[in-house]
Amino acid sequence: MVIQHICIDALENKTIAKKKEQCRENYNELKSGLLSYPMENCFKLFYRQMYKDFIFLGIKLACESGDMTFMLNGLFQGNRIGMIWNNCLNTTQDQSGGLVNIILAFAANDLKLVGKSMPVSPGISDNGYYKGHYNMMYAIYWKDQEAGREAEKQLLKFMEKKQSKFDLSFTRYLLALYYEDASEISNCLIELCYTVARSNWVQEEIFFDTLHYKLGRRVALFVHGLYHLAYYSLNETTFTKIQLPEHKTFIKEYEEFNIEHGFPVGSHFIHLDDISQYLEHFIDIEMIPEVGVVKDIRDGKNYLDADSFQEKVFANLKSKKLIDYDESAGKFVFRSIK
């Protein structure tokens, strides 16, 4: 497969053993850094380093072996790391800034992470370029009719302005999902396969840098996630009418695997308990808090509450005795890590 060859060329870690060794190095660097630098910064760097290659190593091994659990589990573990890192960073948006992480969570059938990334408590988004898209996903998934009516207005207004082909296809897809139009959903999925490769913002959100765009343009992970959103949102009769896209960036075998096995939830792609209990468990769902927002009194807008998210991550890890630290006047003083 072309995808497999691209993975071989672009990945730094081409085997599980090599990726595991990199994880060991990341952990040792984290322990060393925690002795000299602010705890918050050390963990942010660690999450970014750990994220590297997880998702596409899983895809490479799935293509080589035909075993799609590699792709499922690479998505599951990699996206949980990415979600934690993403939500520890301050942003100019509210919870809608996590749109791509949510869609990848659907691709991994990780509904527990969806619940953390798109919780009911903050309600719908009011601050973000793709707030209407977030709100429609929120409305469809949580069966919120009022939110659906508001999101429909926002998306129709969004399409009145000049937009990229990808953004228009994405918008029409969500509207088709809202209207439960299987034919239009099928049409939009194939359009998205053609246009997602040219959507820089999607690639940036998946990779956090430009080094691996080559990979992102070869595999339509975003489209896989949207297909899974349909599975979790529509009744069975409507969903079965959707046609899988016939396109080189869409790994049809992955979706045939999901259909055959009832869209199974992912699990650890690489176990790391022989290196560290922290490494093994820091992506456990109990360690990951729900995202929240905070209102800025200067402009009245809601923003992602990244500081609170990271504080809750630390508190969860401490409660499970995976890390220990002292806290004073909002400052964290590292003590130990398992």
Side-chain angles (χ1 to χ4, degrees):
M1 296 176 71
V2 173
I3 293 169
Q4 180 182 340
H5 293 305
I6 293 295
C7 287
I8 291 172
D9 290 341
L11 287 174
E12 179 179 322
N13 300 285
K14 297 178 173 60
T15 65
I16 287 178
K18 188 164 184 182
K19 176 59 185 173
K20 191 168 184 175
E21 184 56 34
Q22 186 199 54
C23 292
R24 185 189 301 274
E25 292 172 4
N26 295 155
Y27 175 67
N28 288 334
E29 289 173 9
L30 172 65
K31 288 197 298 181
S32 176
L34 285 167
L35 299 176
S36 305
Y37 300 102
M39 194 168 127
E40 305 94 305
N41 295 345
C42 290
F43 277 98
K44 288 174 186 175
L45 177 61
F46 167 77
Y47 298 141
R48 183 184 180 107
Q49 291 173 329
M50 283 288 291
Y51 180 78
K52 188 175 184 180
D53 290 349
F54 254 109
I55 291 175
F56 277 87
L57 178 57
I59 292 172
K60 170 184 175 289
L61 296 177
C63 293
E64 287 177 345
S65 66
D67 183 353
M68 291 297 138
T69 58
F70 284 121
M71 179 170 171
L72 175 68
N73 294 339
L75 267 168
F76 176 91
Q77 192 167 10
N79 188 52
R80 283 200 173 187
I81 297 169
M83 182 272 188
I84 296 169
W85 185 75
N86 219 18
N87 285 292
C88 288
L89 301 177
N90 290 307
T91 175
T92 59
Q93 304 177 83
D94 58 17
Q95 70 272 28
S96 64
L99 189 69
V100 171
N101 283 131
I102 296 166
I103 290 172
L104 293 186
F106 278 117
N109 305 311
D110 192 355
L111 299 189
K112 289 183 177 179
L113 191 67
V114 171
K116 300 284 188 172
S117 305
M118 190 173 63
V120 173
S121 53
I124 62 174
S125 166
D126 65 3
N127 179 24
Y129 187 75
Y130 294 98
K131 63 184 179 183
H133 302 76
Y134 174 93
N135 291 340
M136 184 56 84
M137 288 173 51
Y138 175 99
I140 290 169
Y141 182 67
W142 293 117
K143 311 298 183 188
D144 187 325
Q145 295 181 0
E146 184 178 350
R149 288 190 289 270
E150 178 63 23
E152 180 185 22
K153 293 177 190 174
Q154 291 172 330
L155 292 183
L156 292 173
K157 185 175 181 180
F158 182 87
M159 290 197 299
E160 291 175 358
K161 300 178 181 179
K162 186 175 181 180
Q163 307 291 352
S164 69
K165 290 182 179 179
F166 170 78
D167 282 355
L168 289 173
S169 298
F170 181 28
T171 307
R172 289 202 308 274
Y173 176 83
L174 291 177
L175 287 169
L177 205 52
Y178 181 60
Y179 301 143
E180 300 186 0
D181 184 341
S183 177
E184 180 64 5
I185 289 171
S186 300
N187 292 336
C188 290
L189 283 173
I190 189 65
E191 282 182 17
L192 285 161
C193 287
Y194 281 103
T195 58
V196 71
R198 296 190 291 276
S199 176
N200 288 337
W201 71 268
V202 171
Q203 309 307 330
E204 289 169 3
E205 288 292 326
I206 292 177
F207 297 109
F208 307 142
D209 59 40
T210 60
L211 297 177
H212 291 79
Y213 273 20
K214 186 189 295 185
L215 292 171
R217 298 185 193 287
R218 295 290 182 174
V219 185
L221 289 175
F222 194 89
V223 186
H224 282 283
L226 291 177
Y227 177 69
H228 286 222
L229 172 62
Y231 172 77
Y232 290 112
S233 305
L234 298 173
N235 62 61
E236 184 178 358
T237 301
T238 304
F239 178 75
T240 54
K241 293 178 182 177
I242 298 172
Q243 296 180 349
L244 288 174
E246 295 285 349
H247 193 269
K248 61 185 179 181
T249 64
F250 192 84
I251 304 177
K252 196 172 180 179
E253 295 85 350
Y254 181 64
E255 299 313 339
E256 291 170 344
F257 160 83
N258 274 286
I259 292 168
E260 180 182 351
H261 293 89
F263 288 75
V265 64
S267 61
H268 275 71
F269 173 46
I270 303 175
H271 285 284
L272 301 166
D273 51 332
D274 58 331
I275 301 174
S276 155
Q277 286 302 303
Y278 167 77
L279 279 185
E280 179 72 5
H281 294 290
F282 80 94
I283 65 163
D284 289 356
I285 202 65
E286 295 83 4
M287 304 300 110
I288 305 174
E290 289 186 357
V291 301
V293 296
V294 60
K295 186 179 289 291
D296 190 323
I297 59 174
R298 293 169 296 183
D299 60 13
K301 292 182 179 180
N302 284 330
Y303 293 90
L304 178 72
D305 194 349
D307 292 341
S308 177
F309 182 88
Q310 187 170 41
E311 288 172 10
K312 291 176 182 176
V313 168
F314 290 160
N316 292 341
L317 292 168
K318 185 175 182 178
S319 72
K320 296 297 183 180
K321 304 187 186 307
L322 295 174
I323 64 171
D324 191 26
Y325 59 89
D326 294 329
E327 184 179 0
S328 176
K331 299 291 184 182
F332 298 95
V333 180
F334 171 74
R335 294 299 177 202
S336 64
I337 186 169
K338 284 194 173 180

